[in-house]
Amino acid sequence: MSRFYITTPIYYVNDAPHIGHAYPTVTADAIARWHRMLGDETMFLTGTDEHGLKIQRAAEANGVSPQEQADQTSQRFRDAWELLDISNDQFIRTTEPRHHTAVQELLTRVKENGFIEKGSYAGYYCVACEAYYNEDDLVDGTNCPIHERPAEWFEEDNYFFKLSALEAELLDWLNSDTVFPEGKRNEALGIIKLGLEDVSITRTSIDWGVPVPWDDDHVFYVWYDALINYATAVGFGADIDEFNRWWPEAHHIIGKDILRFHCVYWPAMLIAAGLQPPKQVHVSGFLLVGGKKLSKTGLTQIAPADLVEDFGVDGFRYHFLRDVSFGPDSEFSYEQMVSRYNSDLANTLGNLLSRVTTVVHKKCGGVGPTPDPESELAAVAAESYAASAAGWDKLQAPVALDAVWNLLRETNAYLERNEPWKMDEGSDEVATVMGDALEVLRLAAILASPALTRSSDAIWTAIGLTGSPSDQRLPEAASWGGYPGDLEVIKGTPLFPRLKAPDA
RNA sequence: GGCGAUGUAGCUCAGUUGGUAAGAGUGCUCGACUCAUAAUCGAGAGGUCGUGGGUUCAAGUCCCACCGUCGCUACCA
């Protein structure tokens, strides 16, 4: 049996869940669902990142403790993922005791291996921003670019991670098919070529963080705590055998804004701790609204719940999986979402189910016949499965789904050529054509189930099957001829009612 | 400034290691059909593959320059 471990980024709790969070989460969810159908032992992790200065300050502003602040926002992420049928096996929070244990153990290992040293960090510090600036970034050589007031020269003692000592190991890792797509791997290589400097990984100025076990005055800087969540969740610091079972299969899904951390710092930390770097990191682009990064537009009010109201859970999931390809940035568009829903879900799939169930009722007495083993659609279905499986394997949901829709389009054309509605009721020929169509719907329900968590079940039931397509095992269930026939076919209301275009 | 990414039909995008006369979906036009959610099927129009050079028997696919857009330039999640 194979094992598969997939993670989303953990989301920072200073921000409410929006579609920029939902996209990678839905993607990881669909991939996890696919692997479960393959029979893989699957672990799917998401969660929240809860330490750091921003949280501490947000809590102060709201008059609550940092923990209360984190609790509230973390719950909003849980709610959002429940709404979207996210099937995560775990939801990790960096404030959990098990995570503190894991962080302390992992970084202690790094220290014992000689990769952590004490030093001091010095630079121009803007108190209003609570951040350091490079001299080059200062306006007129002295002023903070945001607050336009003088930044002060600060020095603080920090512990430093000796990143610079790991260049060779990092290059090896990056050159062994680990970071996708290719362009993002090159960006990571570019970061290394610019020269690696040691990084400060602790803070004395705040206390909302994981304490440094060997020095009470310090907490770990939030990033070096956050990354370790992926290890905590599968047992690091608690059950090393469990960790060793899962860790070699770790696949991270991230956004390009955190590439540096996941493709340089994180593998370096793991190597320094004597552990394996992640198996794969898949980097997505940004979702843009009006050409701007979502989190910078103030349009984060595009809440998943609002879109679910208009498109349903499946409509929401399908749009992001089908239209947003991994790698490049892509523009979010409500109009595009409507167009995709109508053409793929309402017209191609939903309408196919409607016409098939109707004809089965008119010509086959409402009982689904068996498919023809020699059907011309069998080859199309085999091709569709192969392409879809290849797409999921590369974490390319648009490719995987397009392959399924290709089969659906071919089936609409097949019906058009054969015109079963003109055939004699109860004849062998109409039984053959409709059996084939029902078999395609069975296959489509299975192959689309990672995306359409609800309507795939509805299709399954409508063609008379029991259970759920998501319980089927691949690849066996994808071979032609699995529809048993002699089942009662139910003619229901349209699965995906067409939507009107907005302000048309 | 330095490094890097990207620019293919109206729109969203595919285009492996350079090689049959450039593709898909959607949109548009025309036709067919009427089982079906004004759905479906067929046909067609539509691209000098950002611009200009170069390498090659052959380039969207490699090299150079330029233009446009975007990102990174380190502790801001």
Side-chain angles (χ1 to χ4, degrees), chain A residues 227-478:
Chain A
L227 289 163
I228 295 169
N229 90 85
Y230 305 127
T232 305
V234 290
F236 189 81
D239 181 347
I240 201 67
D241 292 334
E242 179 75 353
F243 174 77
N244 287 331
R245 268 170 17 95
W246 287 106
W247 191 248
E249 301 308 321
H251 294 71
H252 299 314
I253 299 250
I254 66 164
K256 68 177 184 181
D257 52 334
I258 52 179
L259 180 146
R260 168 185 299 277
F261 293 95
H262 285 77
C263 299
V264 180
Y265 297 174
W266 176 227
M269 280 168 71
L270 287 161
I271 292 166
L275 302 169
Q276 268 182 63
K279 184 169 187 173
Q280 290 184 359
V281 179
H282 291 261
V283 187
S284 80
F286 289 146
L287 277 180
L288 310 176
V289 175
K292 290 182 178 171
K293 186 187 171 187
L294 203 62
S295 59
K296 290 181 181 171
T297 55
L299 289 176
T300 50
Q301 297 90 332
I302 302 181
D306 295 340
L307 293 172
V308 166
E309 201 167 305
D310 292 351
F311 297 93
V313 171
D314 285 353
F316 182 99
R317 294 172 58 99
Y318 186 77
H319 166 70
F320 286 102
L321 291 168
R322 175 61 186 80
D323 282 322
V324 183
S325 69
F326 238 71
D329 291 350
S330 65
E331 188 77 24
F332 172 80
S333 146
Y334 191 90
E335 291 71 20
Q336 167 71 10
M337 205 166 165
V338 170
S339 157
R340 180 62 74 184
Y341 174 96
N342 281 338
S343 70
D344 285 15
L345 298 182
N347 297 351
T348 303
L349 174 58
N351 182 57
L352 177 63
L353 178 67
S354 291
R355 65 197 307 210
V356 167
T357 55
T358 297
V359 176
V360 168
H361 271 262
K362 288 190 176 176
K363 299 290 182 179
C364 307
V367 177
T370 52
D372 175 8
E374 307 295 318
S375 173
E376 60 190 275
L377 289 176
V380 182
E383 232 173 272
S384 170
Y385 174 71
S388 192
W392 288 119
D393 191 52
K394 292 178 188 162
L395 281 68
Q396 291 176 349
V399 173
L401 292 171
D402 186 55
V404 179
W405 260 256
N406 190 48
L407 171 62
L408 295 172
R409 285 188 290 268
E410 287 295 330
T411 304
N412 273 320
Y414 173 79
L415 291 179
E416 217 57 45
R417 284 195 301 276
N418 287 285
E419 302 184 306
W421 45 88
K422 288 184 177 173
M423 294 173 173
D424 292 334
E425 183 173 347
S427 64
D428 287 348
E429 54 172 3
V430 79
T432 299
V433 173
M434 297 320 293
D436 288 353
L438 287 162
E439 170 64 353
V440 167
L441 287 168
R442 183 190 70 88
L443 291 166
I446 296 170
L447 298 180
S449 67
L452 308 178
T453 55
R454 303 186 179 190
S455 40
S456 57
D457 279 347
I459 294 167
W460 197 254
T461 304
I463 61 177
L465 294 165
T466 54
S468 166
S470 57
D471 293 330
Q472 298 295 303
R473 279 294 159 269
L474 297 174
E476 300 78 24

Side-chain angles (χ1 to χ4, degrees), chain A residues 13-14 54-65 68-70 72-73:
Chain A
V13 293
N14 70 335
K54 280 191 186 176
I55 306 305
Q56 187 171 314
R57 282 164 54 184
E60 283 163 14
N62 296 334
V64 297
S65 70
E68 286 169 328
Q69 170 77 23
Q72 288 169 11
T73 313

